[in-house]
Amino acid sequence: MIPIRTALRVMPAAWLAVPLAVVAAWYASLLPSPPGYGTAATAAASGTLPFIGAFVAGSAAWEGARLQRAGIWGGPWVRRGARIAAGLLVGPIAAGLLAVAVAVVVAHARAGAFPPDLAILGVMAVDVITYASLGFALGLVAPLALAVPLAAILALFWTAFVPAMYPVWLRHLTGMYRDCCGLAETLAPQAVVASIVMDVAIVATAALAVQVGRPRRWRAAAAATVLVAASFVGIQAASSLTFAPVTARDPSLLTCTTGNGVEVCLWPEHSPSATTVVGAIGDVRANWEAAGIEAPAVFTEAEGQRAPGTLEVRLPDVLTKDGVIVALAVGMLPAAPNCAGATPGGAPVATTGGIAFAYLEAWYAAAGGLSSTSLQALDMAGDEINPSVLTVVKELSEATVSVRRNWAANAAAISQSCDDTAPDLRVGK
């Protein structure tokens, strides 16, 4: 182990550990996550990995290059190479782990969430070790002027650019889970497996690359074999996921409350507001019934629970009356059709019939009691056939119950159409 006084004198990681932690804290304060949900807060903190990884890899490359310049690596020393490397990598790894810890603390304090997700924390810690191993190996095999910037760029590319590439599941190989999680979601185990496998492969490749007692061809072949095998396993694990590394949350965590003519099942983060939410949902349901809209009596935040008489609803992070109404209106929409060429996640925009979703949402929200200001935000210009969204909503509010129901049934049918025919959403048509 290198003495602390020496580390402070010669190690960039020791000089810049505190500034790195400050930057990580600042950046983590900008990353949003649902209030009170620990898994989402830890996942948001992983968004700091690009610059943490670049620093750790670059400073580790500096340490490796020092050994290379001094001709120390691979010499006939009593201490093994692994022990020498560990002593020099303590600084970069410690600086990286400090930055990760600070980012996690800030993200959780911002979200008011506890405890952190241990799986994500574990992956982030392994990520830091991986960046250090990569940088150290580059420092041993390349000149200093090349090794340090190349190590930083490779770490930055892995964590910042790979997640922007297609196919979208490539991002799950990197160990950065910034797209996780909504309240109804938790981290998918496949994403953890994919990340850990790739991290272990990179560490193994770095270890093979610095085995100076082996022929270069042997080292290259062994490293390539490890990377190919790990990539195969990681791809098999990650390719089953969408852009978000998530799976449905355990519905047994829901707390169900009955009142105001409805039953509402909420996640633990929303259950303290159960009385307010139940009252608001009961009022919306009563407004819908008065408008002739058939509404269920059971509402749940769990996804994949489209049982008869139950409405899935994704309530907003900040519970306001208008926010609850809009969430209920969205929950009333039909499922998006599985049309050829539909966007990932089933977004209802693949065909001309998708326009019906905007009209239906606005009608359900207006009938539920949405304020005029919030309703205005749902307006959309019409076309040569259809009036604007708010014009249709106004006409529906003045129509009979039978006309409203016929219009809603027609709009729902149009929303499921995969044809590129012009939809007719006029009231009474």
Side-chain angles (χ1 to χ4, degrees):
M1 182 72 67
I2 188 170
I4 295 179
R5 180 177 297 179
T6 303
L8 292 174
R9 182 169 56 86
V10 303
M11 279 190 168
W15 310 334
L16 301 173
V18 172
L20 177 67
V22 171
V23 173
W26 165 76
Y27 192 72
S29 70
L30 305 177
L31 302 172
S33 63
Y37 190 19
T39 297
T42 312
S46 72
T48 59
L49 283 176
F51 63 83
I52 292 176
F55 174 83
V56 170
S59 58
W62 174 277
E63 302 303 330
R66 288 176 57 229
L67 289 185
Q68 183 200 51
R69 293 198 309 274
I72 293 175
W73 187 256
W77 319 122
V78 174
R79 288 190 296 173
R80 291 176 176 269
R83 186 177 175 186
I84 296 174
L88 291 175
L89 290 180
V90 166
I93 290 175
L97 292 179
L98 174 63
V100 165
V102 170
V104 169
V105 169
V106 170
H108 280 259
R110 184 178 184 276
F114 186 83
D117 187 281
L118 295 181
I120 299 177
L121 278 179
V123 171
M124 293 174 72
V126 176
D127 285 343
V128 169
I129 295 172
T130 301
Y131 307 141
S133 301
L134 173 66
F136 187 75
L138 285 171
L140 289 174
V141 301
L144 173 67
L146 175 64
V148 172
L150 181 60
I153 290 171
L154 284 176
L156 184 63
F157 177 84
W158 180 245
T159 52
F161 288 89
V162 169
M165 295 179 177
Y166 285 92
V168 294
W169 48 260
L170 282 174
R171 65 188 62 195
H172 309 319
L173 302 175
T174 67
M176 187 169 59
Y177 307 127
R178 61 189 179 191
D179 298 308
C180 170
C181 303
L183 287 184
E185 302 163 335
T186 190
L187 181 65
Q190 302 96 305
V192 175
V193 171
S195 300
I196 293 295
V197 166
M198 293 306 300
D199 280 345
V200 171
I202 294 172
V203 172
T205 299
L208 289 168
V210 299
Q211 296 294 318
V212 295
R214 298 280 187 174
R216 288 185 178 181
R217 290 184 179 180
W218 181 92
R219 286 182 281 165
T225 301
V226 169
L227 285 177
V228 169
S231 297
F232 177 80
V233 176
I235 288 171
Q236 290 297 311
S239 60
S240 61
L241 302 172
T242 62
F243 77 95
V246 298
T247 188
R249 200 174 178 186
D250 184 359
S252 66
L253 298 173
L254 293 166
T255 299
C256 297
T257 305
T258 303
N260 209 11
V262 296
E263 179 182 351
V264 181
C265 299
L266 303 173
W267 295 116
E269 295 75 20
H270 282 160
S271 58
S273 304
T275 301
T276 301
V277 173
V278 169
I281 291 178
D283 292 342
V284 173
R285 183 173 182 270
N287 291 336
W288 280 346
E289 289 182 331
I293 300 172
E294 295 183 2
V298 179
F299 300 80
T300 179
E301 286 195 282
E303 294 184 346
Q305 305 292 316
R306 283 184 177 266
T310 300
L311 183 69
E312 291 180 23
V313 56
R314 177 171 289 189
L315 295 175
D317 295 337
V318 179
L319 296 173
T320 62
K321 180 181 178 181
D322 279 358
V324 170
I325 293 173
V326 171
L328 292 172
V330 172
M332 285 285 286
L333 299 177
N338 187 22
C339 299
T343 57
V349 295
T351 68
T352 54
I355 192 176
F357 286 97
Y359 284 82
L360 283 167
E361 179 185 349
W363 165 235
Y364 291 140
L370 189 69
S371 68
S372 58
T373 301
S374 297
L375 184 60
Q376 188 67 42
L378 299 178
D379 195 16
M380 187 175 69
D383 52 34
E384 62 274 8
I385 297 176
N386 303 296
S388 68
V389 167
L390 290 191
T391 298
V392 170
V393 168
K394 182 176 183 298
E395 292 174 354
L396 286 170
S397 65
E398 298 169 351
T400 64
V401 169
S402 61
V403 170
R404 294 170 181 168
R405 288 178 174 172
N406 289 336
W407 178 89
N410 178 59
I414 289 173
S415 73
Q416 301 302 295
S417 173
C418 293
D419 299 329
D420 281 332
T421 56
D424 188 345
L425 292 163
R426 291 175 292 177
V427 177
K429 298 297 182 181

